[in-house]
Amino acid sequence: MDLFFLIVCVEWICQEERYTDGVKWRFLEHKGPVFAPPYEPIPGNVRFYYDGKQMKLSPEAEEVATFFAKMLDHEYTTKDIFRKNFFKDWRKEMTPEEKAKITDLSKCNFTEMSVYFKAQSEARKQMSKDEKLKIKEENERVLQEYGFCVMDNHKERIANFRIEPPGLFRGRGDHPKMGMLKRRIRPEDVIVNCSKDSKHPKPPPGTKWKEVRHDNKVTWLVSWNENIQGSIKYIMLNPSSRIKGEKDWQKYETARRLKKCVDRIRNQYREDWKSKEMRIRQRAVALYFIDKLALRAGNEKEEGETADTVGCCSLRVEHINLYPEKDGQEFVVEFDFLGKDSIRYYNKVPVEKRVYKNVQLFMENKQPEDDLFDRLNTSILNKHLQELMDGLTAKVFRTYNASITLQQQLKELTNPDENVPAKILSYNRANRAVAILCNHQRAPPKTFEKSMQTLQTKIDAKKDQLSDARRELKSAKADAKVRRDEKAVEAKKKAVERIEEQLMKLEVQATDREENKQIALGTSKLNYLDPRISVAWCKKWEIPVEKIYNKTQREKFAWAIDMADDDYEF
DNA sequence: ATAGGCACTTAGGACTATCTTC
DNA sequence: GAAGATAGTCCTAAGTGCCTAT
């Protein structure tokens, strides 16, 4: 299977030489998407009240009401924007009579609905083993039927073969569109992409596709328009597929090419800090930040359409503070802004004097809400990068710096004398250094404190157990002198060692968890770290790769697991 | 240059399955 | 075998970057 993957890749790379025209496949066959289940009206005894009086809603209005009812426990149903957006869209689904009557959301009482859905989900949890098994089997059947496609003689797993169900939109952060109604997608909204000579997917009985297309320059199987942002949504293949794997591999190869010329590029931008042209200075300082801090490019966004977040090129004066001296360091730039997913980026960085002076200059005579880099955007920056290296864009720096950091950290932190759990702790620490660089944060798990406590209790118990075992060993030794019973000593010694190891494992686990409180390792592992570095590390230290990658991850990185030897260098 | 459309990668959190503990 | 903790999967939003038209 893996070998087959490699052969397919090699075959394709060979062809890449011949086709530079962006052909992605020659044959594509699939069964189309799985649609969201139709709305099931709630039982008659579950009532809705308006202004204290019971009211039966039309099915259309009722469905949207249930979306809100299901969210009642969430904080955002109390937010003004959410409520306003929801109410506006809900009213569009009402009959004229309902519309005339229901004019104030605060007079709506969804409590019975909410209670009903909670009971439902409780009931689902309480289902018997048999019932649960039945559901599992049905899911498996759907997966087998719709979850795979054939692309160029190869059966591939599809990532998201289910069409997104209707519901209320909840963007991240302070999103101006939160609460809007995400409409139900019907076959008539869907474009199907497959090859002409394949068995075309059939739309559900009595319906039609919007279009059947045969575009082999793209990788998607199904697409539809989404009504909140007006963007297009796609059904594509799983990361384990050839088409994704090859792209991933390419990404890391580009980053490795950057490694070869990064010194030259760094020298260049340092020179450019002195340029007499402001646009070049801005470009050079921005690139420095992208390189040093692994910031994202920062495309412009339409104001009012999304949450107010920025990346490097879209930084504003208000996101930066300058300190000639701070905490004993000179020329400190303080960053404080919301990045992708409204995750806060906060960092105080000492920079070179020249950078500092330049930033000062860029901020001169500007309002807080003005762009820091007013002569720069991602397109200008990327055009410049393209000239420095084929295929170079801003995001390549993130990949490069993440991967090189992992490699360096692994070298630095791995202690050859330590055992497997300690080595894995070192791996996680290396991974963590990258996650911190890339600002991959997570909300501390709700149960964090408690789970730390449980672990500590276990550690304490293990310590007691250890001192008991040691005491027993000692007395066994004393006994042995008298009765020449070496066997008993050996056994006790073994027991002590075993307990020591268990204790060590627990302590390592506690350290790892504590250090990981607000840091998410998954994103960098999945998207930024050349998997060959990790695979090589595992081979070198004889760590089973399963300790680093779970099943899904091993499938995604099959190409790397096959490819990398213990001496692989990024 | 600028804007908009499109296709694709990257992202955190919700949800679910599985393991552990009582 | 129930409950709670943890690991793994799913979901889909939110980015990047390229292309085309103006």
Side-chain angles (χ1 to χ4, degrees), chain A residues 229-243:
Chain A
Q229 314 282 355
S231 65
I232 308 167
K233 299 265 186 168
Y234 303 95
I235 290 181
M236 290 184 192
L237 296 195
N238 196 75
S240 62
S241 60
R242 183 221 97 220
I243 207 151

Side-chain angles (χ1 to χ4, degrees), chain A residues 514-526:
Chain A
E514 184 66 51
E515 289 176 2
N516 233 21
K517 185 174 177 180
Q518 306 198 58
I519 297 169
L521 300 185
T523 304
S524 51
K525 202 183 234 185
L526 242 43

Side-chain angles (χ1 to χ4, degrees), chain A residues 153-172:
Chain A
N153 309 316
H154 201 26
K155 187 173 171 187
E156 303 267 34
R157 180 84 190 267
I158 299 168
N160 55 326
F161 55 89
R162 291 171 201 278
I163 285 190
E164 296 171 19
L168 302 185
F169 175 81
R170 174 57 168 112
R172 324 240 169 117

Side-chain angles (χ1 to χ4, degrees), chain A residues 377-407:
Chain A
N377 60 41
T378 53
S379 148
I380 295 171
L381 178 64
N382 281 334
K383 217 168 267 167
H384 172 63
L385 293 175
Q386 186 57 236
E387 286 163 10
L388 298 178
M389 187 194 103
D390 181 41
L392 187 61
T393 62
K395 82 197 266 285
V396 178
F397 281 87
R398 243 166 109 80
T399 312
Y400 161 72
N401 279 307
S403 288
I404 201 79
T405 300
L406 178 75
Q407 188 168 86

Side-chain angles (χ1 to χ4, degrees), chain A residues 30-36 146 160-163 185 187 190-192 201-204 209 221-224 235:
Chain A
H30 59 91
K31 295 294 272 302
V34 174
F35 288 91
Y146 292 95
N160 55 326
F161 55 89
R162 291 171 201 278
I163 285 190
I185 304 301
V190 160
I191 302 174
V192 159
K202 278 204 290 288
W209 302 123
L221 319 186
V222 170
S223 76
W224 68 91
I235 290 181

Side-chain angles (χ1 to χ4, degrees), chain A residues 71-254:
Chain A
M71 292 177 149
L72 229 45
D73 283 344
H74 273 108
E75 195 218 344
Y76 42 76
T77 54
T78 63
K79 292 195 173 179
D80 255 16
I81 302 176
F82 190 97
R83 297 175 67 88
K84 200 178 126 270
N85 287 335
F86 161 72
F87 196 55
K88 187 174 164 209
D89 281 1
W90 185 28
R91 281 176 57 81
K92 289 180 201 156
E93 303 299 313
M94 293 176 187
T95 63
E97 295 74 36
E98 288 166 337
K99 220 170 173 171
K101 201 159 173 194
I102 303 172
T103 55
D104 183 357
L105 179 57
S106 64
K107 290 184 179 161
C108 295
N109 181 346
F110 303 95
T111 319
E112 285 192 14
M113 290 182 181
S114 172
V115 168
Y116 168 71
F117 291 122
K118 268 186 219 155
Q120 287 242 304
S121 87
E122 206 44 48
R124 226 170 302 128
K125 277 185 216 154
Q126 298 302 324
M127 275 186 312
S128 72
K129 256 195 183 144
D130 242 30
E131 289 171 301
K132 280 184 182 168
L133 188 68
K134 242 184 173 170
I135 291 176
K136 206 175 166 182
E137 279 168 354
E138 171 61 11
N139 281 339
E140 183 59 27
R141 195 191 61 72
V142 174
L143 171 69
Q144 289 306 324
E145 181 167 4
Y146 292 95
F148 294 85
C149 73
V150 177
M151 185 178 270
D152 294 343
N153 309 316
H154 201 26
K155 187 173 171 187
E156 303 267 34
R157 180 84 190 267
I158 299 168
N160 55 326
F161 55 89
R162 291 171 201 278
I163 285 190
E164 296 171 19
L168 302 185
F169 175 81
R170 174 57 168 112
R172 324 240 169 117
D174 238 335
H175 199 116
K177 299 194 173 183
M178 65 168 83
M180 282 174 63
L181 175 64
K182 197 166 94 166
R183 69 178 229 282
R184 179 179 290 274
I185 304 301
R186 307 152 303 153
E188 291 75 10
D189 302 313
V190 160
I191 302 174
V192 159
N193 194 32
C194 60
S195 55
K196 270 185 199 148
D197 58 348
S198 73
K199 224 167 105 200
H200 296 12
K202 278 204 290 288
T207 66
K208 279 189 178 138
W209 302 123
K210 181 179 180 184
E211 184 190 337
V212 177
R213 201 179 277 184
H214 310 291
D215 183 356
N216 70 354
K217 303 265 176 58
V218 298
T219 67
W220 53 267
L221 319 186
V222 170
S223 76
W224 68 91
N225 281 173
E226 159 272 348
N227 66 304
I228 305 289
Q229 314 282 355
S231 65
I232 308 167
K233 299 265 186 168
Y234 303 95
I235 290 181
M236 290 184 192
L237 296 195
N238 196 75
S240 62
S241 60
R242 183 221 97 220
I243 207 151
K244 295 287 183 189
E246 195 186 307
K247 197 79 188 296
D248 210 33
W249 174 16
Q250 238 176 58
K251 173 180 76 183
Y252 292 113
E253 289 306 301
T254 306

Side-chain angles (χ1 to χ4, degrees), chain A residues 307-326:
Chain A
D308 178 20
T309 63
V310 297
C312 186
C313 293
S314 49
L315 279 168
R316 300 191 296 262
V317 170
E318 60 193 318
H319 299 127
I320 302 283
N321 274 310
L322 294 178
Y323 302 96
E325 209 231 289
K326 183 153 181 134

